Amino acid sequence: MKLVFLGTSAAQPTENRGMTCICLVLEKEILMFDAGEGAQVAFHKAKIGWNKKMKILVTHLHGDHCVGILGLLQTMSLQSRTESIDIYGPKGIEDFLAANLKVLNFGLTFPVRIMTIKEGLVLDDETYTIHSVEAEHSIPAYSYVFEEKDKPGKFYPEKAKEIGIPEGKLWHEIQRGKEVIVGNKTIKPADVMGEKRKGKKIGISGDTRPTAKLEGFFKDCDYLTFDSTYSDELKEKAKENYHSTAKEAAELAKKANVSNLILTHFSTRYDDAQILVNEAKTIHSSVIAAKDLLEIEIK
Ligand SMILES: [Zn+2]
Ligand SMILES: [Zn+2]
């Protein structure tokens, strides 16, 4: 599993930063959070795969977070994609996409399903869940949390052989957490496997002020990407525009016991995000600035 940042700029692109788009690339699926204009260009560069199973989750309907869906769908059609795409977003997402798909006469080569979300459980997959919560922005906006379900422990084939479990179907079953019977003995998964591995929790703030609600929502995240539009000097501007400063992001991350904070959504005035990292680091010990095409391996 890896996080891939396809765009890290706020409101408008710069020479080095595209519009907001973050992909969580799982083994069998891509979860894309927001798709600002030009998302398909960065998607192409990142070589994530045009036909891989995919869902797009939109935080809010500001253009820099959703206009890129159109270009992405069009390029995917030209790439002859066949796999369907599910798109989730706040009220209005359906109107926005349906109207554009109709007017532009897209000729999609794959099915697109559009779902309007509310606060709460958005997705309950076999291996993960995604929840949403209302953020505090100038228009209705959501933050998302991805939580991987706990994974079975490491399987020790030598132990299985020692106990006498024949290789094949029974190995498969016990690895999936089922007890198996060999001869007259019942063998538990714990006899041949290590401790369950705790799933990872990853938070995506979208555009928002830091709020107590978000602090609870992002509690104990392994990784949190958070709105860091401004430096501390512009904290009043951050309030006015319903964004956060890097320092505010770090304060929230610290209170929420987040392990690793990733700053993103930078105002165009910061060519170099180091000033934002430095400010955040006065509060939280593990901070990095996202940049376009940055990949973070989640282990
Ligand atoms: Zn934005
Ligand atoms: Zn916004």
Side-chain angles (χ1 to χ4, degrees):
M1 179 160 76
K2 63 181 178 180
L3 265 173
V4 184
F5 290 83
L6 297 187
T8 58
S9 192
Q12 50 182 313
T14 69
E15 220 170 283
N16 302 313
R17 292 188 197 122
M19 310 314 304
T20 294
C21 184
I22 303 170
C23 288
L24 182 59
V25 182
L26 312 179
E27 200 184 325
K28 293 183 186 137
E29 185 178 23
I30 300 164
L31 300 171
M32 178 182 276
F33 295 90
D34 286 334
E37 205 176 346
Q40 90 269 43
V41 180
F43 191 86
H44 183 59
K45 284 184 191 162
K47 297 189 173 61
I48 306 174
W50 289 115
N51 204 34
K52 201 168 171 177
K53 190 178 168 195
M54 184 164 161
K55 295 185 173 73
I56 304 175
L57 297 109
V58 177
T59 59
H60 65 299
L61 296 178
H62 274 154
D64 58 322
H65 293 254
C66 64
V67 169
I69 296 173
L70 302 172
L72 189 67
L73 296 181
Q74 187 145 57
T75 301
M76 283 176 162
S77 285
L78 295 169
Q79 294 285 336
S80 309
R81 181 182 173 98
T82 51
E83 191 64 50
S84 65
I85 290 192
D86 294 344
I87 303 174
Y88 301 80
K91 194 165 175 282
I93 185 87
E94 243 180 305
D95 289 349
F96 162 65
L97 287 169
N100 276 285
L101 293 177
K102 189 168 170 237
V103 172
L104 300 175
N105 196 16
F106 258 48
L108 289 170
T109 57
F110 53 93
V112 173
R113 285 180 298 218
I114 307 163
M115 266 74 67
T116 302
I117 63 152
K118 286 189 181 136
E119 210 172 62
L121 181 69
V122 177
L123 279 161
D124 187 4
D125 182 83
E126 200 185 323
T127 59
Y128 65 83
T129 59
I130 295 181
H131 284 86
S132 65
V133 84
E134 279 172 19
E136 191 180 306
H137 195 41
S138 52
I139 59 167
Y142 290 95
S143 298
Y144 291 103
V145 150
F146 163 91
E147 278 179 275
E148 204 181 10
K149 292 183 179 170
D150 289 348
K151 290 175 283 188
K154 194 172 170 355
F155 175 65
Y156 298 108
E158 324 79 55
K159 281 194 185 172
K161 279 182 195 160
E162 217 179 282
I163 296 176
I165 311 172
E167 210 172 325
K169 192 168 160 259
L170 292 182
W171 278 32
H172 186 64
E173 279 183 14
I174 205 157
Q175 283 181 58
R176 289 176 62 212
K178 287 190 186 158
E179 291 183 349
V180 299
I181 296 168
V182 178
N184 54 4
K185 276 193 299 186
T186 301
I187 300 156
K188 294 193 176 80
D191 297 335
V192 293
M193 287 168 77
E195 293 265 304
K196 265 193 179 179
R197 289 169 289 179
K198 182 127 186 54
K200 299 290 182 195
K201 182 172 177 180
I202 300 167
I204 310 279
S205 77
D207 290 5
T208 186
R209 293 287 303 142
T211 64
K213 194 172 185 179
L214 287 181
E215 193 188 307
F217 187 58
F218 292 134
K219 189 92 191 133
D220 298 327
C221 271
D222 296 284
Y223 291 85
L224 172 63
T225 75
F226 206 92
D227 179 332
S228 302
T229 311
Y230 299 109
S231 65
D232 191 43
E233 195 188 17
L234 295 176
K235 59 183 174 207
E236 288 309 316
K237 210 174 180 57
K239 266 188 212 160
E240 275 165 38
N241 295 336
Y242 294 92
H243 285 292
S244 300
T245 67
K247 205 172 162 189
E248 286 171 329
E251 279 160 356
L252 182 139
K254 188 171 185 188
K255 284 190 228 156
N257 193 36
V258 165
S259 303
N260 302 287
L261 172 64
I262 307 163
L263 310 178
T264 190
H265 196 271
F266 306 118
S267 157
T268 54
R269 54 173 63 70
Y270 307 109
D271 267 344
D272 183 351
Q274 195 55 44
I275 175 182
L276 303 170
V277 173
N278 292 346
E279 287 181 1
K281 274 199 166 166
T282 62
I283 310 286
H284 194 289
S285 58
S286 176
V287 182
I288 60 164
K291 60 179 181 183
D292 289 26
L293 299 179
L294 171 73
E295 294 192 4
I296 298 174
E297 206 64 50
I298 312 282
K299 286 179 192 151

